[in-house]
Amino acid sequence: MKFAQTAVRCALLSSISIASISLASAAQAQDAGTETSETATAEEEVAFDEIIVTATRRDQAAQDIPLAVSVVAGEQLANAGVVDIRGIQQLAPSLKTTTGQSAATGAVLTIRGIGTAGDNPGFEPAVGVFIDGVFRARAGVALAELPPIDRVEVLRGPQGTLFGRNTSAGALNITTTKPKFELGGYAELSYGNYDEIEAKAGVTGPVSEQLALRLDGGYHKRDGYIKLANEDGSVNNVNRWFARGQAYFENDDINFRFIADVAKTNEDCCGALNTGSGFSLFPTIDASTNSAIAFIAGNAIEALSANPLAGGAVGRDGIVRPFDAKGRVMATTPGRGLTEKVDEWGVSGELNWDFGGATLTSITAYRDWKALRDQDIDFSGLDRAYRDDYRTGITDFTQELRLQGSAFNDKLDWLVGAFYLNEKLTMTDTIRFGAQADQYTDAVINGLTRSVTLPTGLQLFGTLGAGVPLFGQVALATNPALAAAAAGNPALLALFTSPLPRTPAGAGQTADKYRVDTDAIALFTHNIINFSDNLTLTLGLRYNYEKKQIDTDLNSVVPACSFFQNPATLPYRQALQASGLFGGAYLLGCNPAVNSEFNGIRSDKRSESEFTGTARLAYKVNDDVLLFGGYDRGYKSGGYNLDRAGFDSVLLGGNGAQLTDLEFGNESVDAYEIGVKTNFTREFQFNASLFYSNFKNYQSNRFLGNNFVVLNYDKLVSKGVELESIIRPHPDFVVNLGYTYLDAKVSDPAAGSDDGQQASNQPKHAITGGVTWTPRLGEGVNGLLHADWRYNSDHFPLNDPLGRRFTGNDGYGIVNLRAGVNFADGKYSVEGYVENLFNTYYNITAFPIPEQGNSFAVYPAPPRFYGVKLGVKF
């Protein structure tokens, strides 16, 4: 029913759009018989404004480049209510954006089904983000509020020749508004539900005939939309501000643009809802795998009566409420917040120097980004585990040089360049146990060991009271040989009759410190050969070299870890192993994320080099039709998974902690594309492309029962069709339509993947659309009516065979509306807006909850937002 309602709503909007187009076209046809100079002038007004892009690092018309690129103008972004890069997906069907457990470190961009999921900063993105030519090293680094935008170019497919490093899936090329040589400014104030307040202002103008300045700033606040069950408050709020200053100089030969910006956020993000999927599931223990930790029974948690875990939220009244996604209620431990603070700043300078025969471009930038997070990481409402002042910092220095010119009577448009990146990544992890850590372990072990012969079950730490025997006591009672040995050995007897040493609140990582220094160098050339006015060949080649050095200082204190790793406790461990409980007991009491076996100071380094490139042929059938096809070689560098849980424990059959355990290799892609770009009439633009991308050693962050690791899958193939159209029957009326069919499948028999399974969180069908009508209502008075929508077909945020059932999304559509009026030829304006008009719910993404086998959590979609905006310009 939900799917049908969404389809009807989208169809209704489409019908209105088509009807409006038809009426406008009919009106034009009625007057076509008597064409005059006046009607010819009208046709000129109807013609498309030529959109200039820099996708080839040159200023070119979007319809003339042999490359699949979606261009979103700044006005479209404003009408759609886009405030950061995550909202661009509403207008570009091949782009999908998600945010997991952190907006700062867990933002994920995918193009054509390819992206990089995970909140570990050692895991770099496959979609590059460039703002005014400056590379942003992680998607989260680019999530600050956007300043006024000129355009966004969504470059689909590998961009490994011209756009820096790690663009194996594509790139977002964002161009902000420059300073102007005429005085002007704006101010905007919005107020909406959830007590939303947004204020933005800016001013620009000349200092002299050659120098202009610009200053923009903004503040955005909104209450959270996920309620906390165990205490007052909410999460997923907005609280951020930014300021940005620019200077622009130009004369006959040189132009130089300097940008300095600063931004801060202080928010609570990101709330996850426990679906309750594991509450009634109680598989038996597979003793042969030592994986008792992989299972958890609902009744095993009943012992924690002070704050029971449930499939859903536990209220302050102690009542267990069933999972209700639309209610957006999250169970957290009181006092364990989801604080997320980000501080960032940067400076950049772009110089363009025309020598007459060639132009030199230099882009120099330095960026400093820091994030501080707290996190309740057990996703249960119990005080099991948390992060306390987790810190990440990234500083990037980048330098790009390009020299571009023409030769042989403009038959060759050549470009050569070099790129350098120096990045310093630091991370301090602070995963610690809460006050109920031992109770949690005892409850799980108790539930797993209950049987007809032992209805009370067992415990390890003695937190469940005298009515539940210790494991050691039962072992002595059921093993005569062990009992006889203990009778003559007081130390052995004490070992089995005493509980495990208790875990004090706050035990765990004192501070796990990581530092990764990266130096990346590239030399590249990109050349366009004009065989004729209609036939061109583009050839590009890039040499990439990169080296990384990692230094770690890991320190964790957990009494249970020390107990199990003490040689004197070997008999106890052997008894646990004989019972099939050792794996579960060890992983619960000494979780890999805090396992003190891995403490120590270590260093390692890796280096790699790779050639990437492009070859593209374009044929212009006439002024209105361009055919193109090509091949691109893309590449994404390897690195280190900054998580001690990736080490192998000796007690579980591993070879101990080595930094090579955290290392993962690079991925590469061979991509093929053919397409057509057309302007069939002056009022109708249509583009289409077919693509096939073959990824090798595809990087993916996966959950392996008790921890997340980065794996290289053997192969991933992404193929599909993309359609785009712009319809403009009148200068005041514009329709944008887009469609992507995506087939993206992982193939790795060694990893047990299903070749027939769509990549996680990727719909096969995505449809976007937008209608903008700006009628003139009177003298100096103009109106605005805008609607945009995106429809995603059925898809699964999580490809776990069991999790798909609890976390999958039926097809859904998101519709935004904006309507307003402006006066005095645009000087004053008032607008109303609605985002997610039909309050559609879907799961943004999902994950299996660590230590709660068969239980899955989801990140819920935002609800309906609405408000009003006042604006003034001068």
Side-chain angles (χ1 to χ4, degrees):
M1 178 63 71
K2 184 190 300 182
F3 174 86
Q5 290 174 342
T6 301
V8 168
R9 290 165 177 164
C10 290
L12 179 60
L13 284 170
S14 299
S15 299
I16 293 171
S17 304
I18 294 170
S20 303
I21 296 166
S22 300
L23 289 171
S25 300
Q28 285 187 326
Q30 190 173 14
D31 297 333
T34 57
E35 182 173 310
T36 65
S37 60
E38 185 176 326
T39 57
T41 302
E43 285 184 3
E44 290 295 330
E45 292 176 352
V46 170
F48 291 108
D49 294 332
E50 190 171 58
I51 300 175
I52 303 299
V53 298
T54 56
T56 61
R57 294 305 197 191
R58 305 163 173 87
D59 291 339
Q60 289 183 285
Q63 289 297 96
D64 289 341
I65 60 173
L67 179 70
V69 53
S70 300
V71 185
V72 183
E75 187 176 4
Q76 288 177 271
L77 295 171
N79 289 336
V82 174
V83 296
D84 60 42
I85 61 174
R86 289 172 293 187
I88 299 172
Q89 68 172 345
Q90 186 72 4
L91 308 170
S94 289
L95 172 70
K96 198 168 190 297
T97 65
T98 60
T99 298
Q101 60 180 294
S102 166
T105 61
V108 180
L109 306 178
T110 62
I111 293 178
R112 293 175 171 174
I114 307 301
T116 299
D119 75 333
N120 190 310
F123 199 26
E124 301 178 61
V127 176
V129 179
F130 300 80
I131 300 180
D132 293 321
V134 176
F135 173 64
R136 302 297 178 96
R138 306 292 188 278
V141 178
L143 280 188
E145 295 276 303
L146 290 171
I149 297 295
D150 181 57
R151 67 184 180 277
V152 174
E153 302 165 22
V154 182
L155 309 178
R156 310 193 294 267
Q159 305 297 319
T161 305
L162 286 173
F163 278 86
R165 60 195 294 273
N166 295 348
T167 55
S168 56
L172 295 185
N173 188 28
I174 300 172
T175 302
T176 66
T177 305
K178 288 182 179 180
K180 297 181 179 179
F181 285 91
E182 58 184 33
L183 183 63
Y186 69 96
E188 300 172 350
L189 179 63
S190 301
Y191 181 78
N193 63 334
Y194 291 87
D195 201 23
E196 181 183 31
I197 298 174
E198 185 176 16
K200 288 185 177 182
V203 62
T204 185
V207 175
S208 66
E209 292 184 356
Q210 296 180 326
L211 179 64
L213 302 178
R214 183 180 186 98
L215 179 64
D216 295 282
Y219 170 74
H220 192 186
K221 166 192 167 297
R222 187 184 64 222
D223 291 343
Y225 56 83
I226 297 179
K227 298 177 182 178
L228 298 178
N230 297 344
E231 58 183 319
D232 291 326
S234 60
V235 296
N236 284 40
N237 64 322
V238 172
N239 183 16
R240 54 182 60 182
W241 64 266
F242 79 92
R244 197 169 195 261
Q246 299 183 64
Y248 181 71
F249 171 87
E250 68 174 8
N251 62 22
D252 292 340
D253 302 320
I254 294 175
N255 66 69
F256 178 74
R257 185 183 184 187
F258 176 80
I259 303 173
D261 65 270
V262 60
K264 292 193 176 186
T265 69
N266 185 359
E267 301 170 349
D268 297 298
C269 188
C270 301
L273 311 182
N274 190 319
T275 63
S277 46
F279 188 57
S280 61
L281 301 173
F282 190 16
T284 57
I285 302 172
D286 181 0
S288 65
T289 63
N290 270 340
S291 59
I293 187 60
F295 309 108
I296 188 170
N299 62 356
I301 309 301
E302 291 176 359
L304 301 183
S305 56
N307 194 357
L309 174 67
V314 184
R316 282 167 289 167
D317 53 10
I319 298 175
V320 176
R321 293 173 175 80
F323 175 63
D324 174 20
K326 290 186 177 180
R328 296 180 175 87
V329 178
M330 177 185 180
T332 59
T333 304
R336 302 290 188 214
L338 293 173
T339 302
E340 187 164 290
K341 299 179 181 179
V342 175
D343 292 278
E344 66 172 306
W345 63 273
V347 293
S348 67
E350 178 178 345
L351 170 70
N352 293 283
W353 191 345
D354 186 354
F355 292 100
T359 299
L360 174 68
T361 298
S362 171
I363 302 177
T364 308
Y366 179 85
R367 298 208 61 81
D368 184 284
W369 179 91
K370 293 181 177 67
L372 172 67
R373 294 171 52 204
D374 294 330
Q375 187 181 13
D376 187 348
I377 60 173
D378 52 61
F379 303 98
S380 67
L382 301 173
D383 192 13
R384 163 64 173 162
Y386 63 97
R387 272 192 169 110
D388 184 27
D389 285 352
Y390 162 99
R391 298 174 183 270
T392 307
I394 300 175
T395 61
D396 287 312
F397 171 78
T398 56
Q399 174 64 59
E400 183 168 353
L401 292 172
R402 300 194 303 268
L403 188 64
Q404 187 251 332
S406 61
F408 308 114
N409 295 320
D410 295 332
K411 293 294 184 181
L412 174 64
D413 183 342
W414 56 268
L415 183 152
V416 295
F419 174 81
Y420 172 70
L421 164 75
N422 175 262
E423 178 178 283
K424 300 185 185 305
L425 164 64
T426 59
M427 189 184 96
T428 301
D429 207 356
T430 54
I431 295 177
R432 294 168 185 166
F433 282 122
Q436 293 177 297
D438 294 340
Q439 288 176 276
Y440 181 92
T441 300
D442 276 349
V444 174
I445 296 297
N446 180 260
L448 293 172
T449 55
R450 289 182 188 179
S451 65
V452 174
T453 57
L454 189 64
T456 59
L458 303 173
Q459 60 175 324
L460 298 175
F461 293 95
T463 64
L464 304 183
V468 180
L470 296 173
F471 165 79
Q473 294 171 331
V474 175
L476 290 176
T478 57
N479 188 330
L482 181 63
N489 186 338
L492 184 62
L493 180 63
L495 179 67
F496 277 89
T497 56
S498 302
L500 264 62
R502 293 284 181 91
T503 307
Q509 297 174 358
T510 303
D512 275 10
K513 297 180 179 180
Y514 301 83
R515 174 171 175 145
V516 180
D517 291 339
T518 302
D519 284 292
I521 300 172
L523 303 174
F524 57 90
T525 180
H526 189 268
N527 308 284
I528 303 174
I529 304 170
N530 301 298
F531 293 111
S532 68
D533 291 340
N534 296 332
L535 182 63
T536 63
L537 174 65
T538 300
L539 296 174
L541 184 66
R542 185 184 188 99
Y543 171 72
N544 306 272
Y545 172 78
E546 180 170 313
K547 65 177 181 179
K548 282 185 168 79
Q549 175 164 328
I550 181 172
D551 298 289
T552 66
D553 183 356
L554 310 184
N555 188 12
S556 178
V557 179
V558 180
C561 293
S562 299
F563 174 85
F564 284 119
Q565 292 156 18
N566 186 342
T569 65
L570 178 60
Y572 192 97
R573 295 202 311 268
Q574 290 174 333
L576 274 174
Q577 288 167 343
S579 71
L581 286 174
F582 176 69
Y586 185 51
L587 293 171
L588 281 166
C590 183
N591 187 281
V594 295
N595 189 340
S596 56
E597 176 190 342
F598 308 143
N599 287 353
I601 298 174
R602 302 176 182 86
S603 296
D604 191 37
K605 58 184 177 181
R606 56 172 282 125
S607 62
E608 56 192 85
S609 60
E610 186 79 18
F611 281 98
T612 56
T614 186
R616 290 182 167 269
L617 192 65
Y619 178 68
K620 209 162 191 177
V621 178
N622 53 46
D623 289 342
D624 298 322
V625 179
L626 175 72
L627 302 177
F628 67 91
Y631 162 81
D632 293 286
R633 171 77 172 177
Y635 154 78
K636 180 172 178 286
S637 60
Y640 296 93
N641 180 30
L642 308 186
D643 184 353
R644 74 156 66 201
F647 290 128
D648 297 324
S649 172
V650 171
L651 296 187
L652 292 178
N655 58 1
Q658 302 171 72
L659 286 177
T660 51
D661 295 337
L662 308 184
E663 188 176 3
F664 54 91
N666 58 53
E667 72 180 27
S668 61
V669 55
D670 294 297
Y672 306 88
E673 180 180 72
I674 59 172
V676 59
K677 295 186 176 184
T678 71
N679 290 325
F680 287 126
T681 69
R682 306 180 75 86
E683 299 86 16
F684 180 63
Q685 184 182 95
F686 175 79
N687 298 339
S689 59
L690 301 174
F691 62 90
Y692 178 92
S693 301
N694 185 357
F695 285 78
K696 295 180 181 178
N697 297 319
Y698 176 68
Q699 298 171 359
S700 180
N701 195 30
R702 298 299 299 273
F703 181 70
L704 297 183
N706 55 73
N707 63 307
F708 290 86
V709 299
V710 178
L711 300 177
N712 287 95
Y713 283 112
D714 180 60
K715 181 179 180 181
L716 184 148
V717 173
S718 171
K719 56 187 176 182
V721 180
E722 297 166 322
L723 307 176
E724 291 181 307
S725 181
I726 302 176
I727 307 167
R728 191 173 182 177
H730 188 273
D732 297 338
F733 192 86
V734 181
V735 180
N736 295 271
L737 300 172
Y739 168 74
T740 294
Y741 169 77
L742 174 67
D743 185 325
K745 294 183 173 63
V746 173
S747 173
D748 192 344
S753 64
D754 181 1
D755 290 357
Q757 189 167 277
Q758 182 84 341
S760 299
N761 220 13
Q762 299 303 319
K764 281 199 170 185
H765 305 276
I767 304 171
T768 61
V771 177
T772 305
W773 184 31
T774 54
R776 188 171 181 83
L777 303 178
E779 187 65 31
V781 180
N782 297 283
L784 167 68
L785 182 61
H786 171 85
D788 60 73
W789 60 92
R790 179 184 176 107
Y791 170 77
N792 292 319
S793 62
D794 301 355
H795 61 281
F796 298 97
L798 186 68
N799 268 338
D800 182 286
L802 180 61
R804 287 163 65 97
R805 168 183 161 201
F806 298 101
T807 62
N809 286 317
D810 292 334
Y812 64 88
I814 300 296
V815 179
N816 299 330
L817 292 180
R818 185 172 294 264
V821 62
N822 62 72
F823 309 91
D825 291 325
K827 185 175 182 179
Y828 306 101
S829 63
V830 56
E831 297 174 359
Y833 60 89
V834 182
E835 299 175 21
N836 191 4
L837 173 66
F838 300 111
N839 202 23
T840 300
Y841 178 87
Y842 60 95
N843 298 320
I844 296 175
T845 186
F847 62 95
I849 303 176
E851 299 189 337
Q852 296 180 37
N854 301 328
S855 190
F856 305 92
V858 296
Y859 293 101
R864 179 192 296 119
F865 295 135
Y866 55 85
V868 62
K869 184 178 82 171
L870 305 177
V872 60
K873 296 179 181 179
F874 64 90

